[in-house]
Amino acid sequence: MPVPILLVTGFLGAGKTTVVNHLLAHAGGRRIAAVVNDFGAINIDAELIAGASDGVVSLANGCICCSLEGDLLRTLSTLLRRDPKPDTIVIETSGVADPADIVRNLMDPVILREAPLETVLCVLDAGTPPSALEDALQRSQLRVADIVALTKLDLAEEGAGDRMRVAIRAQRVPAVVVDAKHGEIPSALLFPAHAARAPAPREPGPKRPAEERFETLSWTSEHPLSLPRLQQAIGKLAPKLARAKGLFETVEQPGRQMVFQFAAGRATLAPGDASTPGVPRSRIVFIAELGVLSKAELDAIMEGCVAPA
């Protein structure tokens, strides 16, 4: 029986990991295999989803999570050989990936027969300025979507969701638009009602020339960070950042990690798990437009966050 694929796309910081987290936590008896394709030297997303940075992690509810290393088709082939096979495969793309290229790969006849692409979900931060939808990458992410999920409505200005729906319609996007509170999307929209029904092949659209727009700068430290100093550092870096995420210890709460996220000008902190021995106590990925932020500048600012011995 074919295993349907759900492709989750969306720009940096839109909330894709929250959506995948919710799917894994509320699988409803489905064996979901989540393939995480993170952008950066430190695979923070895989840690947040599965509690591991690489390999395959089995979850208590029968789901698994694996990091995408190398060729996507090879990864899918490995998943399809598992016993038992997953009921559904969820692929979370990088925030800077053009999903049209991934859709094109998934139209490979062998993959299409065994793991057909069922649904493309585009996750979109409701607080995104409507003008940002003119960006070529965001247009591509929207135009291949069957469903657009608006996230972070609780953080956006009043009326932001309505303005975003108007902007999406202006792009002539045929997708269904839904609100995704805390990453929750009705499963009936995402998964086929009849597993044996194979969806028709789709046309991904014209291939866009590859464009290197972003670069990743990774920063690690063996020392805990001063939270007030980190807040000052992020304030300095924020105008140059597209996205940042990481795990670190603080002087204020030694021995326990904090989960740090920065997107759309907003920074959040949440308690994490206990620190792992043998792993740097502070590790953060910063994503910026090419040439906007140098490694030397980043290191200088972040070293100022390290608590004095």
Side-chain angles (χ1 to χ4, degrees):
M1 185 175 294
V3 178
I5 290 177
L6 167 63
L7 182 64
V8 181
T9 186
F11 202 62
L12 297 163
K16 297 183 296 298
T17 297
T18 301
V19 170
V20 176
N21 265 325
H22 192 277
L23 289 173
L24 291 174
H26 302 83
R30 296 183 182 88
R31 291 188 302 273
I32 298 175
V35 181
V36 182
N37 183 9
D38 197 16
F39 179 76
I42 304 171
N43 201 343
I44 297 296
D45 279 353
E47 293 185 58
L48 295 181
I49 290 176
S53 61
D54 54 33
V56 175
V57 176
S58 297
L59 306 182
N61 61 0
C63 299
I64 64 171
C65 183
C66 66
S67 58
L68 175 58
E69 295 180 351
D71 183 65
L72 171 62
L73 302 186
R74 186 169 63 248
T75 300
L76 292 176
S77 178
T78 299
L79 290 175
L80 292 169
R81 289 197 302 268
R82 290 180 66 89
D83 186 17
K85 286 200 302 186
D87 297 319
T88 297
I89 297 174
V90 178
I91 302 172
E92 178 192 349
T93 71
S94 158
V96 294
D98 186 342
D101 294 335
I102 299 172
V103 170
R104 192 172 290 105
N105 285 332
L106 294 176
M107 292 301 105
D108 177 278
V110 175
I111 293 295
L112 190 63
R113 182 174 63 251
E114 296 190 42
L117 177 59
E118 174 71 31
T119 305
V120 180
L121 169 67
C122 178
V123 181
L124 182 63
D125 184 342
T128 302
S131 60
L133 302 190
E134 298 298 330
D135 177 86
L137 178 57
Q138 294 221 26
R139 284 204 309 270
S140 181
Q141 291 173 342
L142 281 171
R143 287 178 178 176
V144 299
D146 303 302
I147 301 165
V148 176
L150 297 181
T151 60
K152 307 184 183 182
L153 286 160
D154 55 323
L155 301 175
E157 296 178 354
E158 185 177 353
D162 292 336
R163 289 193 293 273
M164 186 53 66
R165 288 172 187 269
V166 171
I168 292 170
R169 284 198 298 271
Q171 292 290 333
R172 298 183 180 178
V173 174
V176 175
V177 182
V178 299
D179 294 346
K181 186 177 182 181
H182 306 305
E184 181 177 359
I185 302 168
S187 61
L189 293 176
L190 303 179
F191 303 114
H194 305 288
R197 179 189 61 78
R202 61 176 75 203
E203 172 54 52
K207 184 175 178 62
R208 290 197 307 121
E211 180 184 3
E212 292 293 333
R213 287 182 51 196
F214 298 92
E215 61 182 335
T216 297
L217 303 171
S218 301
W219 184 83
T220 63
S221 175
E222 298 296 336
H223 305 285
L225 306 183
S226 161
L227 194 51
R229 292 184 182 189
L230 177 65
Q231 291 170 332
Q232 293 177 356
I234 298 303
K236 294 178 183 177
L237 292 168
K240 299 185 177 184
L241 295 178
R243 182 81 163 95
K245 48 191 172 179
L247 301 168
F248 55 83
E249 271 188 52
T250 65
V251 178
E252 292 78 10
Q253 292 186 325
R256 179 161 295 278
Q257 292 182 321
M258 298 293 289
V259 179
F260 167 66
Q261 300 272 1
F262 176 88
R266 297 188 292 262
T268 61
L269 282 175
D273 297 329
S275 299
T276 304
V279 175
R281 296 167 81 178
S282 302
R283 45 218 161 104
I284 307 177
V285 169
F286 297 88
I287 303 175
E289 297 266 4
L290 281 170
V292 170
L293 179 64
S294 71
K295 187 68 166 70
E297 180 185 5
L298 175 67
D299 287 347
I301 292 174
M302 289 306 299
E303 289 300 326
C305 303
V306 175

